[in-house]
Amino acid sequence: MKKDLLKIDDLSKDDILDILNTADQLKYEHKHNIPHEHLKGKSLGMIFEKSSTRTRVSFEVGMYQLGGNALFLSSRDLQIGRGEPIEDTARVLSRFIQGIMIRTYSQEEVETLAKYSSIPIINGLTDLEHPCQVLADLMTIREYKNILEGLKVAYIGDGNNIAHSLIIGTLKIGMNISIACPKGYMPKEEYIARGKELSELEGTKFIITTSPEEAVIDADVVITDVWASMGQEDEAKIRKEAFVGFQINKKLMELAKSNALVLHCLPAHRGEEITGDIIDEHSNEIFDESENRLHAQKAVLLKLMKNNY
């Protein structure tokens, strides 16, 4: 039976740890020039309806390093850009390749692709979730802190796809998380409800607040994202006004632990959601986080595609 990664909740705690452990091993092998061509002869189709730097490069290079091949498929290259139903695209591509990564707007489109395909589907980003990014975040935190369970994560900003995946991913792994968003920009209620359920199951703390200061107190890790994501450019001015006070800066970081990490999925808008000096001060972990997209996604590719065909 094929497996997909459509949202972070598709993974159990053991699945997440397995991916992180595999990613650590693959990173070690990469750094020591040890070949790991476990997907030799296999091909990944990469459907992009949203443009990207990190997602495209990390998946394409990752497949190459695993011995496979990656095909870049924009909506202009596919018949779905001309109205072919996603159901038909799924069935056709399943005859040619061994996996699909899709980066798009609609979570429903990813779910439909998975329903009608016979090969693994990986969510490279939707407006609802960004599971691959959060796996890279968890990998980075563990690299720096050596543990995950019991640590406190504070997310400051928009209750977007990053926030959604962070809530589920951190709580599943036994971490505590505080989410601070302005009124009107909170995570979707289904994720808040699921977060409360997971925190009760794991005995962890889950806080939703409109106060960045409350969220950041004694945090081990502080995470943010842009205030206006791709496709929300027309809301940028309104959002900039709504997010006043939600900037990661020196004053706010004084409330976190003295050795707190700062993470940002990038690209960053310096001077908006985060100041340039904070990025520069925490550049090691931020750019390790970016690099770890490669290693975490290679682990996902292995987990889903190695035994497929």
Side-chain angles (χ1 to χ4, degrees):
M1 181 178 176
K2 72 150 182 151
K3 292 184 179 180
D4 305 302
L5 176 55
L6 311 181
K7 53 189 185 300
I8 200 75
D9 221 357
D10 290 339
L11 304 174
S12 66
K13 180 177 182 178
D14 287 343
D15 288 334
I16 294 173
L17 290 173
D18 180 39
I19 289 169
L20 297 184
N21 292 339
T22 302
D24 287 344
Q25 179 63 30
L26 292 170
K27 185 173 184 177
Y28 174 85
E29 292 174 1
H30 174 69
K31 297 296 185 185
H32 291 82
N33 296 314
I34 301 171
H36 41 248
E37 297 185 342
H38 306 297
L39 296 182
K40 195 168 185 178
K42 299 195 176 188
S43 297
L44 175 75
M46 305 187 303
I47 300 176
F48 282 89
E49 295 184 358
K50 272 189 172 184
S51 59
S52 168
T53 298
R54 278 149 290 275
T55 300
R56 177 177 178 180
V57 174
S58 55
F59 270 106
E60 194 162 333
V61 171
M63 276 301 290
Y64 172 78
Q65 292 179 359
L66 290 169
N69 179 52
L71 305 170
F72 175 78
L73 304 169
S74 73
S75 56
R76 295 186 301 274
D77 301 318
L78 296 170
Q79 292 298 329
I80 53 174
R82 301 174 183 85
E84 181 177 50
I86 192 73
E87 298 93 325
D88 293 350
T89 298
R91 286 181 280 217
V92 168
L93 291 179
S94 294
R95 305 294 181 101
F96 298 143
I97 56 181
Q98 288 73 51
I100 297 172
M101 184 284 300
I102 179 169
R103 180 180 170 95
T104 187
Y105 294 90
S106 167
Q107 181 73 21
E108 183 181 359
E109 185 174 3
V110 177
E111 304 275 350
T112 303
L113 189 65
K115 180 179 178 181
Y116 287 93
S117 74
S118 58
I119 56 176
I121 306 300
I122 299 169
N123 178 353
L125 174 143
T126 64
D127 287 349
L128 195 66
E129 287 225 20
H130 200 350
C132 292
Q133 179 63 56
V134 169
L135 289 170
D137 292 350
L138 294 175
M139 180 182 179
T140 308
I141 294 167
R142 195 170 71 165
E143 280 183 342
Y144 278 82
K145 298 293 187 181
N146 296 317
I147 60 168
L148 289 171
E149 288 192 38
L151 295 181
K152 177 182 176 179
V153 171
Y155 173 84
I156 312 298
D158 187 23
N160 60 12
N161 48 9
I162 295 287
H164 292 156
S165 293
L166 270 175
I167 289 169
I168 307 303
T170 54
L171 292 171
K172 273 202 170 185
I173 213 75
M175 304 173 81
N176 306 303
I177 186 166
S178 296
I179 303 281
C181 308
K183 289 180 180 178
Y185 297 93
M186 289 288 177
K188 289 188 177 295
E189 186 55 45
E190 64 196 87
Y191 284 89
I192 295 175
R194 179 62 173 147
K196 290 177 180 177
E197 180 183 21
L198 284 170
S199 67
E200 290 177 7
L201 287 171
E202 298 292 336
T204 52
K205 293 180 181 177
F206 173 45
I207 296 170
I208 294 281
T209 179
T210 56
S211 168
E213 291 79 13
E214 178 188 357
V216 167
I217 290 173
D218 291 330
D220 298 285
V221 187
V222 179
I223 303 179
T224 190
D225 190 14
V226 294
W227 292 339
S229 298
M230 194 179 299
Q232 298 172 333
E233 289 82 2
D234 58 337
E235 302 176 27
K237 185 177 179 181
I238 296 172
R239 284 173 169 266
K240 195 171 182 180
E241 293 171 358
F243 283 83
V244 169
F246 284 78
Q247 183 186 74
I248 306 300
N249 51 38
K250 283 191 177 295
K251 184 178 180 181
L252 191 64
M253 288 302 298
E254 287 174 359
L255 299 173
K257 289 184 178 176
S258 59
N259 63 344
L261 303 177
V262 173
L263 298 180
H264 192 307
C265 62
L266 301 179
H269 294 168
R270 291 174 180 242
E272 290 189 13
E273 75 276 3
I274 189 168
T275 57
D277 58 335
I278 292 295
I279 288 182
D280 293 337
E281 184 180 336
H282 294 271
S283 61
N284 285 345
E285 60 255 34
I286 289 173
F287 289 100
D288 280 341
E289 171 194 16
S290 187
E291 178 191 340
N292 284 341
R293 287 286 302 277
L294 170 66
H295 309 298
Q297 287 164 188
K298 282 163 67 175
V300 171
L301 290 167
L302 269 186
K303 185 177 179 67
L304 299 184
M305 290 178 64
K306 187 175 183 180
N307 297 318
N308 188 52
Y309 293 92

